[in-house]
Amino acid sequence: MSERAFHTVAADAAGRLTDHWRALATGALPVVPPGPPGTTLKALPQRPPERGEDLADILEDTWRTIVPQLVHWQHPHFLGYYPTNNSPASVLAELVTAGLGAQGMMWSTSPAATELEQRVCDWLAHALDLPSRFTHESGQGGGVIQDSASSAALVAMVAALNRASAGRWRDHGTEGRLRVYCTDQANSCVPKAARIAGAGRPVLVPTVPGTQVMDVAALARRLDADRAAGLVPAAVVATVGTTVTCATDPVHEIGTVCRERGVWLHVDAAYAGSAGLCPELRDADARPDLADSYAVNAHKWMRTGTPCDVLWVADRNGLTDALGASASYLSDQSTDADEVVDFKDWQIPLGRPMRALKLWYVLRAHGLEELREVVRHDIRLAVLLASLVEQEHGLHLVTRRLGLVVFRAETDERTQGIARRLAGEPDILCTAATVDGRPVLRAALGSPYADETTVRRAWSIIRGHAAAVS
Ligand SMILES: Cc1ncc(COP(=O)(O)O)c(C=O)c1O
């Protein structure tokens, strides 16, 4: 295919995307696709073509076959999970990144990719008011872009296990003695990371009754009891903004407990971390001053398309001791002279795309002021939605934190009935979950196209379904 043809088709793709965004903004598309499982599989040939096809035809097929069967995460009525934001700046950066095709596993394999990532992670650390030891400028720690909060948790965990075992984890695994701690409110990626890292099921620390946050005294007792029993507490994972209710563990207090006992503290701030852009939303109890690592998904609430998770560590050697990989073909002078950062040693895979261009474009194109306004705007919409819930007879607001609204009906049966109806509704997507053993519905604001009108429209759909369930 000629470069000229690429130019034409890329312009067509850009036009289709801007039309698509407009359709989302005007509510002209459903949130959820109509087809049953297998719809797309049926529409696709079972074998790849022998001869190349025209890119224009492939693009056409994308809109004919794929787009109608997508869930539109950017839709203003998409209230499920947590948002996965996007923006034109992020999309453009993805195109440029792909086009340049750089692979930044080591500084030497793409110097600008590595140095841009160092700078952009430092920018964001400053913007979120993170401790300076998390920056590359400090010479001790630094940030690295991972694909997800799950990878960030895994990477932090293996560093913690390696540190707790004085490096034995690398060669001997956990030897059955290393332990990881979190609450039952931690995201599912935390126990999964513990499993993959070889630590097995994490120890579940109780939450304070009536809340969803870690009981710090219980944590301290458990760490001490486990140590006395010959186990090695290696890592505690605290959450800023839990997935179900956006609750925040007392990170600073947990940090004190961990610091006193030499236990690694990883903070998962996948969603709520972005709120730290706004000074008035920073919570002194959630400051990660005593944490060893901290992760935020820029792809949730910072207008940066997925994947883009930023993981910061206070001690880069802790990470590279666990994850460093060497081979004859990876040797180079700058690495050997310890002059540079090689991000392959800060992540699971060896290779990596130029991950930072996307965040760089977004931070520059929007500026911090606008990104703060995004957070404030979504919180205002959540406050509006929460007030609509409160005005509704028979529905109860469980909590509204940041852009998340959690609610239920007066009986569990009715909540489940509403959830079942909503699950079949193409024009809205909410997530059902459980709080204190009771079913709830979650609505998380975050679409770039959401405003007061779309919130009221979404609410009238939810309300209609609620009214149909007695
Ligand atoms: C608190 C929290 N941590 C981790 C995750 C997992 O994020 P990822 O999909 O980037 O692995 C989520 C996802 O919503 C989350 O809410």
Side-chain angles (χ1 to χ4, degrees), residues 82 148-150 187 189 239 241 243 268 270 297 299-300:
Y82 274 134
S148 62
S150 306
N187 183 265
C189 73
T239 310
T243 309
D268 175 10
N297 276 356
H299 67 237
K300 277 190 162 46

Side-chain angles (χ1 to χ4, degrees), residues 153-192:
L154 176 58
V155 159
M157 216 170 279
V158 299
L161 295 169
N162 197 51
R163 188 179 81 177
S165 61
R168 286 184 64 83
W169 174 86
R170 265 190 85 116
D171 298 322
H172 304 284
T174 62
E175 299 175 310
R177 295 191 320 129
L178 299 171
R179 289 289 180 276
V180 170
Y181 302 77
C182 62
T183 72
D184 64 356
Q185 299 298 305
N187 183 265
S188 63
C189 73
V190 176
K192 184 170 176 177

Side-chain angles (χ1 to χ4, degrees), residues 385-418:
L385 182 59
S387 76
L388 294 170
V389 172
E390 283 182 311
Q391 287 162 31
E392 192 65 28
H393 181 69
L395 293 182
H396 300 278
L397 182 68
V398 176
T399 187
R400 195 283 308 161
R401 294 192 183 108
L402 299 178
L404 177 69
V405 180
V406 184
F407 62 99
R408 60 176 169 79
E410 71 278 29
T411 67
D412 293 351
E413 293 67 34
R414 183 157 181 245
T415 308
Q416 283 158 341
I418 300 169

Side-chain angles (χ1 to χ4, degrees), residues 296-317:
V296 177
N297 276 356
H299 67 237
K300 277 190 162 46
W301 213 9
M302 237 182 255
R303 293 284 193 265
T304 311
T306 188
C308 189
D309 169 277
V310 187
L311 168 70
W312 289 272
V313 288
D315 169 23
R316 62 177 74 161
N317 294 332

Side-chain angles (χ1 to χ4, degrees), residues 4 7 14 26 66 81-82 96 117 122 169-170 177 195 218 223 255 258 277 279 286 303 332 341 350 378 433 447 469:
R4 192 157 179 74
H7 197 276
T26 55
I66 307 300
Y81 309 99
Y82 274 134
V96 177
E117 189 158 330
D122 279 6
W169 174 86
R170 265 190 85 116
R177 295 191 320 129
R195 248 178 11 243
L223 292 173
C258 289
L277 291 170
R303 293 284 193 265
D332 83 44
V341 163
L350 172 59
D378 291 342
S447 157
V469 182

Side-chain angles (χ1 to χ4, degrees), residues 272-287:
S274 297
L277 291 170
C278 305
E280 76 278 13
L281 296 174
R282 291 179 193 147
D283 174 356
D285 296 338
R287 277 195 65 80

